[in-house]
Amino acid sequence: MQCKIADVQIMELESYSDKRGWLSEFFRQDKLGKEKLPQMGYISMTEPGMQRGPHEHRCQTDIFIFLGLSEFELYLWDNRPESKTFQQKDIIKIHNQKLVRVIIPKGIVHGYKNIGNHQGIIINIPNQLYKGQGRDGEIDEIRYEQDPDSPFKIE
């Protein structure tokens, strides 16, 4: 899988199967740079036809793992003025039956929509704590979902 936006990494994950089921490594600290090491993790479920985002982070890198239970469209916009792909948009189709890891750096507006017929499960292991240590800090997001004038729309 390829992405047109600089610094976004998309990788289909390998799984190892036997008669018991399967196993897949979605995180190894020796494969990520120190700046991307996870600080927390959460799992979310998105119903068919529903979307999350778009939003972007000022400092946070998201590391999403799509678990292959449904199909998704992942929307990405480069909102980093210093980037060689500034203002480019890309839509990545993530097929069911595939385990996919996507690393989205700060400044990339992102959101996704479950376009499949099943509940979709996604794990995120970002490199920042939500609202900081003890949830006492500011939220590191710029949200666009409710802004009717936003150029970032999920169709």
Side-chain angles (χ1 to χ4, degrees), residues 2 8 18 26 41 63 66 72 87 96 101 109 121 133 135 147 149 154-155:
Q2 293 285 357
V8 172
D18 63 23
F26 62 81
I63 303 174
F66 291 83
F72 283 90
Q87 296 185 327
N96 63 344
R101 182 182 69 202
V109 178
I121 305 293
Q133 200 71 14
R135 291 184 182 252
D147 181 356
D149 298 322
I154 296 176
E155 294 121 29

PDB file of all heavy atoms in Angstrom, residues 2 8 18 26 41 63 66 72 87 96 101 109 121 133 135 147 149 154-155:
ATOM      1  N   GLN A   2       0.540   2.174  -0.819  1.00  0.00           N
ATOM      2  CA  GLN A   2       1.301   3.415  -0.937  1.00  0.00           C
ATOM      3  C   GLN A   2       0.426   4.596  -0.557  1.00  0.00           C
ATOM      4  O   GLN A   2      -0.785   4.565  -0.754  1.00  0.00           O
ATOM      5  CB  GLN A   2       1.795   3.604  -2.375  1.00  0.00           C
ATOM      6  CG  GLN A   2       2.821   2.597  -2.803  1.00  0.00           C
ATOM      7  CD  GLN A   2       4.191   2.878  -2.179  1.00  0.00           C
ATOM      8  OE1 GLN A   2       4.388   3.838  -1.472  1.00  0.00           O
ATOM      9  NE2 GLN A   2       5.139   2.014  -2.466  1.00  0.00           N
ATOM     10  N   VAL A   8       3.746   9.552   5.887  1.00  0.00           N
ATOM     11  CA  VAL A   8       2.714   8.607   6.316  1.00  0.00           C
ATOM     12  C   VAL A   8       3.198   7.215   5.910  1.00  0.00           C
ATOM     13  O   VAL A   8       3.600   7.004   4.772  1.00  0.00           O
ATOM     14  CB  VAL A   8       1.345   8.905   5.675  1.00  0.00           C
ATOM     15  CG1 VAL A   8       0.341   7.807   5.985  1.00  0.00           C
ATOM     16  CG2 VAL A   8       0.822  10.263   6.139  1.00  0.00           C
ATOM     17  N   ASP A  18      -1.747 -20.960  12.727  1.00  0.00           N
ATOM     18  CA  ASP A  18      -1.703 -22.399  12.923  1.00  0.00           C
ATOM     19  C   ASP A  18      -3.114 -22.842  13.298  1.00  0.00           C
ATOM     20  O   ASP A  18      -4.057 -22.044  13.203  1.00  0.00           O
ATOM     21  CB  ASP A  18      -0.643 -22.806  13.963  1.00  0.00           C
ATOM     22  CG  ASP A  18      -0.902 -22.280  15.364  1.00  0.00           C
ATOM     23  OD1 ASP A  18      -2.073 -21.965  15.697  1.00  0.00           O
ATOM     24  OD2 ASP A  18       0.045 -22.188  16.153  1.00  0.00           O
ATOM     25  N   PHE A  26       2.062  -5.947  15.826  1.00  0.00           N
ATOM     26  CA  PHE A  26       1.745  -4.624  15.294  1.00  0.00           C
ATOM     27  C   PHE A  26       2.631  -3.540  15.874  1.00  0.00           C
ATOM     28  O   PHE A  26       2.649  -2.424  15.389  1.00  0.00           O
ATOM     29  CB  PHE A  26       0.259  -4.271  15.454  1.00  0.00           C
ATOM     30  CG  PHE A  26      -0.229  -4.207  16.876  1.00  0.00           C
ATOM     31  CD1 PHE A  26      -0.015  -3.083  17.651  1.00  0.00           C
ATOM     32  CD2 PHE A  26      -0.944  -5.260  17.410  1.00  0.00           C
ATOM     33  CE1 PHE A  26      -0.490  -3.010  18.943  1.00  0.00           C
ATOM     34  CE2 PHE A  26      -1.429  -5.195  18.698  1.00  0.00           C
ATOM     35  CZ  PHE A  26      -1.200  -4.069  19.472  1.00  0.00           C
ATOM     36  N   GLY A  41      -2.498   3.342  24.771  1.00  0.00           N
ATOM     37  CA  GLY A  41      -3.163   2.569  23.737  1.00  0.00           C
ATOM     38  C   GLY A  41      -4.651   2.523  24.008  1.00  0.00           C
ATOM     39  O   GLY A  41      -5.094   2.588  25.153  1.00  0.00           O
ATOM     40  N   ILE A  63      -0.610   5.832  15.650  1.00  0.00           N
ATOM     41  CA  ILE A  63      -0.255   4.555  15.041  1.00  0.00           C
ATOM     42  C   ILE A  63      -1.509   3.688  15.104  1.00  0.00           C
ATOM     43  O   ILE A  63      -1.826   3.100  16.138  1.00  0.00           O
ATOM     44  CB  ILE A  63       0.928   3.878  15.757  1.00  0.00           C
ATOM     45  CG1 ILE A  63       2.148   4.812  15.762  1.00  0.00           C
ATOM     46  CG2 ILE A  63       1.256   2.543  15.078  1.00  0.00           C
ATOM     47  CD1 ILE A  63       3.324   4.301  16.572  1.00  0.00           C
ATOM     48  N   PHE A  66      -5.647  -1.334  11.859  1.00  0.00           N
ATOM     49  CA  PHE A  66      -6.959  -1.757  11.382  1.00  0.00           C
ATOM     50  C   PHE A  66      -6.960  -3.282  11.414  1.00  0.00           C
ATOM     51  O   PHE A  66      -6.107  -3.921  10.791  1.00  0.00           O
ATOM     52  CB  PHE A  66      -7.202  -1.238   9.962  1.00  0.00           C
ATOM     53  CG  PHE A  66      -7.381   0.250   9.891  1.00  0.00           C
ATOM     54  CD1 PHE A  66      -6.279   1.096   9.849  1.00  0.00           C
ATOM     55  CD2 PHE A  66      -8.647   0.817   9.870  1.00  0.00           C
ATOM     56  CE1 PHE A  66      -6.433   2.478   9.774  1.00  0.00           C
ATOM     57  CE2 PHE A  66      -8.803   2.194   9.801  1.00  0.00           C
ATOM     58  CZ  PHE A  66      -7.700   3.024   9.752  1.00  0.00           C
ATOM     59  N   PHE A  72     -12.541   0.032   5.271  1.00  0.00           N
ATOM     60  CA  PHE A  72     -12.471   1.447   5.640  1.00  0.00           C
ATOM     61  C   PHE A  72     -11.922   2.270   4.486  1.00  0.00           C
ATOM     62  O   PHE A  72     -11.150   1.769   3.671  1.00  0.00           O
ATOM     63  CB  PHE A  72     -11.533   1.645   6.834  1.00  0.00           C
ATOM     64  CG  PHE A  72     -12.133   1.262   8.144  1.00  0.00           C
ATOM     65  CD1 PHE A  72     -12.016  -0.035   8.623  1.00  0.00           C
ATOM     66  CD2 PHE A  72     -12.809   2.198   8.906  1.00  0.00           C
ATOM     67  CE1 PHE A  72     -12.568  -0.395   9.837  1.00  0.00           C
ATOM     68  CE2 PHE A  72     -13.361   1.848  10.127  1.00  0.00           C
ATOM     69  CZ  PHE A  72     -13.242   0.541  10.593  1.00  0.00           C
ATOM     70  N   GLN A  87      -0.832  20.354   1.338  1.00  0.00           N
ATOM     71  CA  GLN A  87      -2.160  20.507   0.748  1.00  0.00           C
ATOM     72  C   GLN A  87      -2.585  19.343  -0.151  1.00  0.00           C
ATOM     73  O   GLN A  87      -3.631  19.423  -0.781  1.00  0.00           O
ATOM     74  CB  GLN A  87      -2.302  21.839   0.011  1.00  0.00           C
ATOM     75  CG  GLN A  87      -2.187  23.019   0.949  1.00  0.00           C
ATOM     76  CD  GLN A  87      -2.449  24.340   0.272  1.00  0.00           C
ATOM     77  OE1 GLN A  87      -2.144  24.530  -0.910  1.00  0.00           O
ATOM     78  NE2 GLN A  87      -3.024  25.268   1.009  1.00  0.00           N
ATOM     79  N   ASN A  96     -11.124  -5.429   4.150  1.00  0.00           N
ATOM     80  CA  ASN A  96     -11.292  -6.391   5.239  1.00  0.00           C
ATOM     81  C   ASN A  96     -10.416  -7.605   4.950  1.00  0.00           C
ATOM     82  O   ASN A  96      -9.906  -7.758   3.850  1.00  0.00           O
ATOM     83  CB  ASN A  96     -12.761  -6.771   5.432  1.00  0.00           C
ATOM     84  CG  ASN A  96     -13.375  -7.469   4.235  1.00  0.00           C
ATOM     85  OD1 ASN A  96     -12.836  -7.447   3.133  1.00  0.00           O
ATOM     86  ND2 ASN A  96     -14.517  -8.086   4.444  1.00  0.00           N
ATOM     87  N   ARG A 101      -1.213  -1.485   9.489  1.00  0.00           N
ATOM     88  CA  ARG A 101      -0.737  -0.452  10.418  1.00  0.00           C
ATOM     89  C   ARG A 101      -0.486   0.819   9.627  1.00  0.00           C
ATOM     90  O   ARG A 101       0.135   0.795   8.565  1.00  0.00           O
ATOM     91  CB  ARG A 101       0.548  -0.893  11.103  1.00  0.00           C
ATOM     92  CG  ARG A 101       1.041   0.157  12.115  1.00  0.00           C
ATOM     93  CD  ARG A 101       2.327  -0.238  12.772  1.00  0.00           C
ATOM     94  NE  ARG A 101       3.395  -0.195  11.766  1.00  0.00           N
ATOM     95  CZ  ARG A 101       4.533  -0.867  11.874  1.00  0.00           C
ATOM     96  NH1 ARG A 101       4.755  -1.650  12.893  1.00  0.00           N
ATOM     97  NH2 ARG A 101       5.446  -0.766  10.940  1.00  0.00           N
ATOM     98  N   VAL A 109      -3.989  15.934   8.683  1.00  0.00           N
ATOM     99  CA  VAL A 109      -5.413  15.819   9.006  1.00  0.00           C
ATOM    100  C   VAL A 109      -5.846  14.422   8.588  1.00  0.00           C
ATOM    101  O   VAL A 109      -5.503  13.952   7.506  1.00  0.00           O
ATOM    102  CB  VAL A 109      -6.232  16.901   8.266  1.00  0.00           C
ATOM    103  CG1 VAL A 109      -7.710  16.751   8.576  1.00  0.00           C
ATOM    104  CG2 VAL A 109      -5.738  18.300   8.634  1.00  0.00           C
ATOM    105  N   ILE A 121     -12.971  -2.644  14.000  1.00  0.00           N
ATOM    106  CA  ILE A 121     -12.192  -2.470  15.225  1.00  0.00           C
ATOM    107  C   ILE A 121     -10.817  -1.903  14.858  1.00  0.00           C
ATOM    108  O   ILE A 121     -10.151  -2.401  13.956  1.00  0.00           O
ATOM    109  CB  ILE A 121     -12.002  -3.803  15.973  1.00  0.00           C
ATOM    110  CG1 ILE A 121     -13.343  -4.475  16.255  1.00  0.00           C
ATOM    111  CG2 ILE A 121     -11.186  -3.605  17.251  1.00  0.00           C
ATOM    112  CD1 ILE A 121     -14.223  -3.738  17.245  1.00  0.00           C
ATOM    113  N   GLN A 133      -0.193  14.140  31.123  1.00  0.00           N
ATOM    114  CA  GLN A 133      -0.039  13.374  32.357  1.00  0.00           C
ATOM    115  C   GLN A 133      -1.226  13.620  33.282  1.00  0.00           C
ATOM    116  O   GLN A 133      -1.573  14.772  33.556  1.00  0.00           O
ATOM    117  CB  GLN A 133       1.270  13.790  33.037  1.00  0.00           C
ATOM    118  CG  GLN A 133       1.805  12.814  34.026  1.00  0.00           C
ATOM    119  CD  GLN A 133       2.355  11.560  33.358  1.00  0.00           C
ATOM    120  OE1 GLN A 133       2.570  11.496  32.166  1.00  0.00           O
ATOM    121  NE2 GLN A 133       2.563  10.551  34.157  1.00  0.00           N
ATOM    122  N   ARG A 135      -4.273  13.466  32.728  1.00  0.00           N
ATOM    123  CA  ARG A 135      -5.361  14.150  31.992  1.00  0.00           C
ATOM    124  C   ARG A 135      -5.531  15.599  32.455  1.00  0.00           C
ATOM    125  O   ARG A 135      -6.626  16.136  32.471  1.00  0.00           O
ATOM    126  CB  ARG A 135      -6.682  13.395  32.130  1.00  0.00           C
ATOM    127  CG  ARG A 135      -6.712  12.081  31.422  1.00  0.00           C
ATOM    128  CD  ARG A 135      -8.083  11.437  31.527  1.00  0.00           C
ATOM    129  NE  ARG A 135      -8.094  10.162  30.880  1.00  0.00           N
ATOM    130  CZ  ARG A 135      -8.709   9.911  29.735  1.00  0.00           C
ATOM    131  NH1 ARG A 135      -9.365  10.849  29.115  1.00  0.00           N
ATOM    132  NH2 ARG A 135      -8.679   8.705  29.218  1.00  0.00           N
ATOM    133  N   ASP A 147     -17.207  21.785  11.631  1.00  0.00           N
ATOM    134  CA  ASP A 147     -16.972  23.050  10.935  1.00  0.00           C
ATOM    135  C   ASP A 147     -17.501  22.959   9.507  1.00  0.00           C
ATOM    136  O   ASP A 147     -16.896  22.307   8.650  1.00  0.00           O
ATOM    137  CB  ASP A 147     -15.475  23.363  10.923  1.00  0.00           C
ATOM    138  CG  ASP A 147     -15.137  24.671  10.241  1.00  0.00           C
ATOM    139  OD1 ASP A 147     -16.057  25.343   9.692  1.00  0.00           O
ATOM    140  OD2 ASP A 147     -13.944  25.038  10.230  1.00  0.00           O
ATOM    141  N   ASP A 149     -17.380  25.024   7.170  1.00  0.00           N
ATOM    142  CA  ASP A 149     -16.496  25.682   6.209  1.00  0.00           C
ATOM    143  C   ASP A 149     -15.137  24.986   6.063  1.00  0.00           C
ATOM    144  O   ASP A 149     -14.265  25.445   5.330  1.00  0.00           O
ATOM    145  CB  ASP A 149     -16.261  27.144   6.611  1.00  0.00           C
ATOM    146  CG  ASP A 149     -17.554  27.939   6.625  1.00  0.00           C
ATOM    147  OD1 ASP A 149     -18.400  27.708   5.747  1.00  0.00           O
ATOM    148  OD2 ASP A 149     -17.730  28.774   7.536  1.00  0.00           O
ATOM    149  N   ILE A 154     -15.076  14.233   4.770  1.00  0.00           N
ATOM    150  CA  ILE A 154     -15.158  12.803   4.455  1.00  0.00           C
ATOM    151  C   ILE A 154     -16.474  12.583   3.731  1.00  0.00           C
ATOM    152  O   ILE A 154     -17.534  12.903   4.244  1.00  0.00           O
ATOM    153  CB  ILE A 154     -15.068  11.946   5.738  1.00  0.00           C
ATOM    154  CG1 ILE A 154     -13.688  12.141   6.384  1.00  0.00           C
ATOM    155  CG2 ILE A 154     -15.344  10.478   5.430  1.00  0.00           C
ATOM    156  CD1 ILE A 154     -13.516  11.411   7.703  1.00  0.00           C
ATOM    157  N   GLU A 155     -16.368  12.058   2.507  1.00  0.00           N
ATOM    158  CA  GLU A 155     -17.577  11.863   1.700  1.00  0.00           C
ATOM    159  C   GLU A 155     -18.205  10.518   1.947  1.00  0.00           C
ATOM    160  O   GLU A 155     -17.597   9.562   2.259  1.00  0.00           O
ATOM    161  CB  GLU A 155     -17.230  12.000   0.211  1.00  0.00           C
ATOM    162  CG  GLU A 155     -16.798  13.408  -0.141  1.00  0.00           C
ATOM    163  CD  GLU A 155     -15.387  13.455  -0.720  1.00  0.00           C
ATOM    164  OE1 GLU A 155     -14.936  12.497  -1.343  1.00  0.00           O
ATOM    165  OE2 GLU A 155     -14.734  14.482  -0.513  1.00  0.00           O
TER     166      GLU A 155
END
